[in-house]
Amino acid sequence: MLLSYDEFQSNTAAVLATIREACRQAGRNPTEVSLLPVTKTHPAEAVDYVRRHGGLPAVGENRVQEAAEKRPLTSGGLRWELIGHLQSNKARQAVEVFDRIQSVDSEKLVGVLAKAASTRPAPYPILLQINAGLDPAKFGADPDQAARLLEAALAQTSLRVEGLMTIAPLSDDPDVARRTFSHLRELRDQLAHRFQVPLPELSMGMSGDLTEAVAAGSTQVRVGSALFGRRPSAP
Ligand SMILES: *Cc1c(COP(=O)(O)O)cnc(C)c1O
């Protein structure tokens, strides 16, 4: 069951306050960190809550099919971002359904996406997903392969690489998330320097580790359960 709009609104206020406090502690400006509400497994009404709230320009979904079915049921006005693993055979549909894909993690996928995006008027925005915590349970390119992956993506004129994304390993120890996020930040700094590209977006931090992510330089936290409550099923 979806929570009420009032509950969503108070959850959102609490998450935004947590982000502001994390920014204050890190000496950062809160305008540098955006909140991406993650609406996966929730009905289209959850997306309309985000729209009604205002000030939150996009939503995150982790499955192409689910988003393709849900998006036409919403009132529009938001950007949709793919944050879940993408198989090459779904790449073409993903480019149609989503406004940005954060989960680009292989050279093969770069090639397929570039082809799918080639008829569009403007370069299609992507992030490269890096397994910065070296977690065998997570998708994402190996940090060792990040330079090759970036080089392949930069060679595609139909794609625009806006930055990097990571998911920290599940752990009770906040140091695991801290190390993962610092690693992604350092990798971004190195790659930006080496390839002379800005890579401004660092998509990192979720409900359980967003304070650590903001401290390490996150520019976007992807938050589901802290806004919408526990998900009906864990996909
Ligand atoms: C589900 C999901 C999130 C949100 O997770 P919460 O713990 O519910 O905040 C963030 N990022 C990705 C990639 C996800 O799949």
Side-chain angles (χ1 to χ4, degrees):
M1 255 272 291
L2 185 64
L3 77 184
S4 71
Y5 179 72
D6 283 352
E7 289 170 310
F8 168 74
Q9 209 177 16
S10 78
N11 288 349
T12 304
V15 169
L16 290 171
T18 304
I19 294 171
R20 272 197 304 279
E21 175 57 18
C23 284
R24 196 191 60 76
Q25 283 174 23
R28 300 184 61 200
N29 186 330
T31 60
E32 293 171 16
V33 184
S34 66
L35 170 61
L36 182 72
V38 176
T39 48
K40 68 184 183 199
T41 76
H42 297 294
E45 288 75 28
V47 179
D48 286 335
Y49 283 2
V50 174
R51 169 76 168 149
R52 180 172 163 197
H53 184 276
L56 300 167
V59 291
E61 287 276 336
N62 71 335
R63 288 175 168 203
V64 179
Q65 195 53 43
E66 183 182 338
E69 287 165 18
K70 201 183 293 184
R71 190 164 183 170
L73 305 176
T74 65
S75 60
L78 297 171
R79 288 185 296 102
W80 287 56
E81 304 212 23
L82 178 61
I83 60 174
H85 182 63
L86 177 60
Q87 288 170 332
S88 298
N89 62 357
K90 298 258 179 70
R92 188 163 291 276
Q93 192 188 9
V95 166
E96 299 303 320
V97 173
F98 291 97
D99 302 288
R100 183 164 79 167
I101 296 174
Q102 301 201 2
S103 47
V104 180
D105 64 357
S106 73
E107 290 180 60
K108 181 182 175 200
L109 190 54
V110 163
V112 179
L113 285 171
K115 199 148 177 262
S118 62
T119 54
R120 304 174 76 87
Y124 186 84
I126 62 168
L127 303 182
L128 304 181
Q129 182 178 351
I130 308 297
N131 188 1
L134 298 173
D135 181 349
K138 294 283 188 301
F139 289 107
D142 206 272
D144 292 348
Q145 300 299 313
R148 276 188 62 179
L149 183 60
L150 177 61
E151 194 167 22
L154 292 174
Q156 300 290 353
T157 53
S158 64
L159 301 177
R160 184 174 75 239
V161 188
E162 296 187 333
L164 306 181
M165 181 271 237
T166 200
I167 308 169
L170 206 55
S171 171
D172 293 332
D173 178 1
D175 276 338
V176 173
R178 264 184 218 115
R179 277 199 300 274
T180 302
F181 299 145
S182 299
H183 189 185
L184 193 73
R185 161 79 185 264
E186 284 159 20
L187 185 63
R188 189 279 305 273
D189 293 349
Q190 287 166 17
L191 293 171
H193 180 74
R194 177 167 160 195
F195 291 91
Q196 293 295 301
V197 287
L199 305 176
E201 190 85 288
L202 277 181
S203 173
M204 53 189 199
M206 323 201 321
S207 296
D209 55 20
L210 69 90
T211 296
E212 289 79 11
V214 168
S218 172
T219 60
Q220 185 191 65
V221 292
R222 310 174 306 264
V223 178
S225 48
L227 295 177
F228 296 105
R230 279 192 54 198
R231 280 178 287 277
S233 64

